[in-house]
Amino acid sequence: MTQTIGEALVRRLEAQGVDTVFGIPGVHTVELYRGLAASPIRHVTPRHEQGAGFMADGYARASGRPGVALVITGPGLTNTLTPMAQARADSVPMLVISGVNVLSSLGRGLGHLHELPDQSALAATVALDSARVTTADGLAGAVDRAFARMAEGRPGPTHIEVPLDVAGQAHDAPMPPPSAPQQPTEATDRIAAAADRLRRAARPVILVGGGAAAATGDLRRLAERLDAPVVLTTNARGHLHGHSLVIPASPSLAPVRHLIEAADCVLAIGTELGQTDYDMEFTGCLPRFPGLVRMDICREQLARHPADLTLHSAAAPGVAALLAELENHEARGQSGAERARDIRERAFASLTAEQQAQLALLNAARDALPNALMVGDSTQLIYAGNLYYDHDRPGGWFNAATGYGALGYGIPAAIGAALACPDAPVLCITGDGGAQFVLPELMTAADENLPVIFLIWNNHGYGEIAVSMEGAGIEVVGCDPTPPDFALVAASCGMPYALCAETPDALAEALRRAADTRGPSMIEIRTAKMTRKTEPSP
């Protein structure tokens, strides 16, 4: 029998290597589901379309392949806009496929179910591209363009919509195999010019962002060849774990900023030099970047921050080309390892005692769960780790506390990561506040029997916000939502639960026990409320 456009869409996703989609079926997407039952693609059902988007995000970060969400028109798409915005801010490849009302009704305001004035235009405010499939001939091109946009330039979310009266139409158009994406590589003379600047530097520093994920081995070799300290942004943690040249600390910390500003050549690879990495205190002042050489896959991004020399290249081929140019280079000047050690010590000393204690917990968790994916929400443990934490898996530390900063990210993103990497331990770190945004998604982990450990950092409210309000001289309002009984939440989801003391040894033991169980589990750490000048009335 002739396949429908909905069935052909599933086949095209298969051709693009998709093995998992996250979605909630509805009357506006039933025809898009027609081909899924017979497909090897795994369908995972979240409890909310926002969860579908965050699961796709976590899947993409853990696997390096685009995550795919399948949602209904109208509220399904608008519920997914927050995850799309997070993915746009953090350069995460995500394809959102939605239904839309019948072609003849679009833009006419006829009061149809789930109607929006212009759904595609709304999606385009955060998506790299938003396309509408109106004929069988246009399907393969729309899908292939979406995947090309995510692979050939700076990654991010894309959107395809299929009208109700189009999805069920016959599809007999030819669909040749997708072409391989072509990533940019810089011209040889510019690579040579960059290598010459680095060769002459006595105090080089390398800044590494999330865009360098595919260049791990060559990054280490380049750093060693240049004898250059390597500063890792939040989304780059895990590169050069334990290496003498690594500085797994935020470039917002004063000692790290001093290192950068004292350099005579700064090589920035795959980092947007944005505020949430380089100016966490929101002073409005980024560090100076002397002799800046910038490598990035996105030409527009290169134009947003002036540099002495720009290299329009994906990280992996660009770093490999630099290595080749520097093949016989011998570093000179002050020892890079000594400079890195000094900054590590000073950066750690600049943290508060409370933050240092929280880092001890993270280090204990890392050692108890080697090579784990640690997926986080905006909560105190994550804030501390984003300031200073050396993870042992490249790309294995990620959260939504930078960039767009969407709360409720951790639980669904950890589910997506577990599906992408079934052999890796997955630890979700979320606060009591962030968890309450998405508690129903715990049932998705239960349905899929995923061995995710959900660590709830329960400080009984929005402590960081309360302290910020007091610091601004504002009476605290709205920062004391009562958390649920997480033991009962875990029981309702059929998962083991443990209450853990706030010590490294206790956490390590609780994690080892949880790792020995099948399926998801929950650990709760109940901390004291953050110190407040005034407490709310009982």
Side-chain angles (χ1 to χ4, degrees):
M1 294 178 63
T2 301
Q3 65 180 345
T4 66
I5 287 178
E7 289 173 307
L9 172 63
V10 174
R11 302 287 89 77
R12 200 60 178 177
L13 293 177
E14 292 174 8
Q16 286 286 357
V18 174
D19 59 17
T20 306
V21 298
F22 304 92
I24 301 175
V27 295
H28 284 66
T29 55
V30 290
E31 283 295 339
L32 302 183
Y33 275 75
R34 186 179 292 278
L36 271 176
S39 171
I41 294 176
R42 180 178 187 171
H43 181 274
V44 176
T45 306
R47 299 315 193 253
H48 189 281
E49 288 92 357
Q50 179 174 280
F54 284 145
M55 288 177 194
D57 179 300
Y59 176 96
R61 297 197 204 212
S63 69
R65 304 187 302 275
V68 180
L70 183 55
V71 302
I72 65 166
T73 186
L77 190 278
T78 56
N79 285 340
T80 316
L81 286 176
T82 293
M84 292 173 71
Q86 184 72 51
R88 180 66 178 261
D90 285 348
S91 304
V92 177
M94 175 196 300
L95 171 60
V96 175
I97 302 170
S98 74
V100 72
N101 284 307
V102 296
L103 274 172
S104 62
S105 74
L106 299 183
R108 298 181 62 192
L110 299 176
H112 285 217
L113 181 64
H114 303 329
E115 186 177 54
L116 283 167
D118 190 338
Q119 179 175 279
S120 183
L122 179 62
T125 62
V126 290
L128 299 174
D129 183 68
S130 180
R132 178 182 300 152
V133 175
T134 58
T135 66
D137 289 340
L139 174 66
V143 175
D144 293 352
R145 281 193 302 275
F147 278 86
R149 285 297 303 270
M150 293 184 287
E152 295 181 351
R154 184 182 183 185
T158 55
H159 171 243
I160 296 173
E161 63 181 19
V162 185
L164 268 171
D165 55 339
V166 172
Q169 292 178 9
H171 185 287
D172 53 10
M175 290 202 297
S179 57
Q182 301 295 316
Q183 292 189 328
T185 54
E186 188 53 88
T188 303
D189 59 336
R190 293 184 68 82
I191 292 289
D196 183 61
R197 289 170 180 263
L198 292 165
R199 193 178 289 114
R200 291 185 281 110
R203 300 180 307 281
V205 170
I206 301 175
L207 307 178
V208 178
T216 296
D218 280 347
L219 272 175
R220 176 180 53 79
R221 287 184 280 274
L222 179 63
E224 291 171 346
R225 192 160 297 174
L226 294 171
D227 194 27
V230 179
V231 178
L232 304 177
T233 67
T234 295
N235 287 327
R237 299 295 171 81
H239 290 296
L240 282 77
H241 170 63
H243 198 285
S244 62
L245 289 171
V246 75
I247 300 174
S250 169
S252 291
L253 293 174
V256 185
R257 290 171 71 101
H258 176 76
L259 172 79
I260 295 169
E261 294 185 340
D264 54 1
C265 185
V266 175
L267 173 62
I269 304 172
T271 173
E272 66 178 353
L273 305 177
Q275 183 190 53
T276 56
D277 277 316
Y278 293 84
D279 183 22
M280 284 186 181
E281 298 298 323
F282 307 126
T283 65
C285 181
L286 296 178
R288 291 182 298 104
F289 303 101
L292 180 60
V293 176
R294 238 189 129 187
M295 180 187 297
D296 203 279
I297 197 172
C298 177
R299 193 180 297 280
E300 291 78 12
Q301 185 61 40
L302 288 171
R304 291 180 185 129
H305 193 290
D308 292 57
L309 178 64
T310 59
L311 303 174
H312 181 217
S313 175
V319 173
L322 276 178
L323 266 175
E325 282 289 333
L326 293 164
E327 183 175 5
N328 299 315
H329 174 64
E330 293 186 7
R332 60 189 184 86
Q334 183 183 355
S335 165
E338 291 179 4
R339 293 161 65 208
R341 182 177 63 250
D342 174 61
I343 298 303
R344 285 196 301 268
E345 292 173 354
R346 291 169 54 199
F348 185 79
S350 72
L351 304 177
T352 67
E354 185 178 31
Q355 289 167 338
Q356 292 178 357
Q358 290 161 1
L359 291 180
L361 291 172
L362 289 176
N363 291 335
R366 178 197 59 212
D367 296 343
L369 300 173
N371 203 37
L373 291 158
M374 289 194 185
V375 185
D377 221 320
S378 292
T379 192
Q380 287 175 292
L381 271 180
I382 295 299
Y383 298 148
N386 285 351
L387 284 173
Y388 191 119
Y389 171 64
D390 189 11
H391 196 52
D392 64 350
R393 179 190 182 111
W397 169 269
F398 57 88
N399 55 78
T402 62
Y404 194 60
L407 201 57
Y409 172 88
I411 288 174
I415 290 169
L419 287 159
C421 300
D423 297 328
V426 179
L427 176 62
C428 171
I429 303 174
T430 183
D432 57 299
Q436 290 182 79
F437 275 50
V438 288
L439 279 179
E441 302 303 352
L442 292 172
M443 285 306 302
T444 307
D447 281 352
E448 301 294 330
N449 196 35
L450 300 174
V452 181
I453 303 171
F454 297 100
L455 176 61
I456 310 294
W457 181 262
N458 185 357
N459 65 354
H460 316 284
Y462 303 141
E464 294 276 355
I465 306 303
V467 170
S468 297
M469 292 175 77
E470 288 185 330
I474 299 169
E475 184 175 352
V476 176
V477 175
C479 293
D480 297 284
T482 302
D485 186 322
F486 284 104
L488 295 180
V489 170
S492 71
C493 297
M495 63 178 65
Y497 166 88
L499 181 63
C500 179
E502 194 180 342
T503 68
D505 289 345
L507 178 57
E509 179 60 25
L511 290 171
R512 284 191 286 265
R513 289 183 180 178
D516 289 337
T517 64
R518 292 173 58 88
S521 59
M522 182 183 293
I523 297 171
E524 179 184 2
I525 297 178
R526 295 177 188 163
T527 76
K529 275 192 175 183
M530 295 184 70
T531 302
R532 298 261 296 276
K533 295 177 183 177
T534 58
E535 289 296 326
S537 301

